[in-house]
Amino acid sequence: MKNFNGKKLLKNFAIALLGAVIGYLLYYSVLMETIPLLVESSGVKYIAISILALVISVAGCIAVLSLIINRKINKQLFFIICVTYYAVLFAALFLRSSIERVFIFNPMTGLIDTFSNWEMALQSIINLALFIPMGYFVRKLKYSKLFIFSIGIPLAIELIQVATKRGFFDVFDILLYFIGINKGYFIFKKWPLIVK
């Protein structure tokens, strides 16, 4: 009979709880807005897709958090997580309701909104967190190239969003994406991920 390992059990419980909270927040702030664009927002089909999206969001966040904390994963699961990550990123950035073109060049506007409204604060945290995993894919770049990448990608995203009327052009978002990519870069440089 194996020895009871309280530390490991507590660690796994903490990962599951935190992953479930993050997954729900991701579902609440991103996926709930996206689902009505894919199916009519009433009926059994809508409810089934909403429940499935919530389960996938929670399970995915638990898997990703476990991956980050344990720092090892097999290639097949890593591939599935990568595909899911980029699908969620695409949905969050480009599958929104059409809006008018708005340019916000003053980052202080976004910062003030973040501190004055809990929903904006949550959105800002999610914007930053969504780009942390991208740091893994650029971890081998020299910092000068990473710096250019972490400005170029957010700038391109914001320009595409405003051109397609799927979001505002917001300098504060560019800063959040930049910080997220850089944070991920340094995390995965310091604590490498083992993919077997």
Side-chain angles (χ1 to χ4, degrees), residues 9 18 28 41 43 46 67 88 121 133 146 157 165-166 169 174:
L9 183 65
L18 186 59
Y28 176 77
S41 60
Y46 174 77
L67 165 72
V88 167
L146 170 84
I157 287 168
K165 297 184 178 181
R166 299 297 175 195
F169 180 92
I174 292 173

Side-chain angles (χ1 to χ4, degrees), residues 141-155 178 182:
L141 292 178
K142 290 183 178 178
Y143 188 75
S144 57
K145 290 183 180 176
L146 170 84
F147 187 82
I148 293 167
F149 175 87
S150 57
I151 289 176
I153 291 296
L155 183 60
F178 175 84
N182 278 268

Side-chain angles (χ1 to χ4, degrees), residues 22-33:
I22 293 169
Y24 175 75
L25 292 174
L26 180 66
Y27 168 79
Y28 176 77
S29 61
V30 175
L31 299 177
M32 273 179 67
E33 186 180 320

Side-chain angles (χ1 to χ4, degrees), residues 86-157:
Y86 282 107
V88 167
L89 194 61
F90 181 80
L93 296 171
F94 303 114
L95 293 182
R96 299 176 178 180
S97 302
S98 184
I99 58 170
E100 63 181 286
R101 287 193 176 99
V102 175
F103 294 86
I104 304 169
F105 294 108
N106 184 355
M108 292 306 292
T109 302
L111 189 62
I112 290 166
D113 286 346
T114 297
F115 284 109
S116 63
N117 181 338
W118 77 268
E119 285 187 353
M120 288 301 295
L122 177 62
Q123 186 64 44
S124 295
I125 291 167
I126 288 171
N127 282 346
L128 189 144
L130 272 174
F131 282 82
I132 290 174
M134 198 175 283
Y136 173 81
F137 301 102
V138 294
R139 71 193 183 285
K140 293 184 179 176
L141 292 178
K142 290 183 178 178
Y143 188 75
S144 57
K145 290 183 180 176
L146 170 84
F147 187 82
I148 293 167
F149 175 87
S150 57
I151 289 176
I153 291 296
L155 183 60
I157 287 168

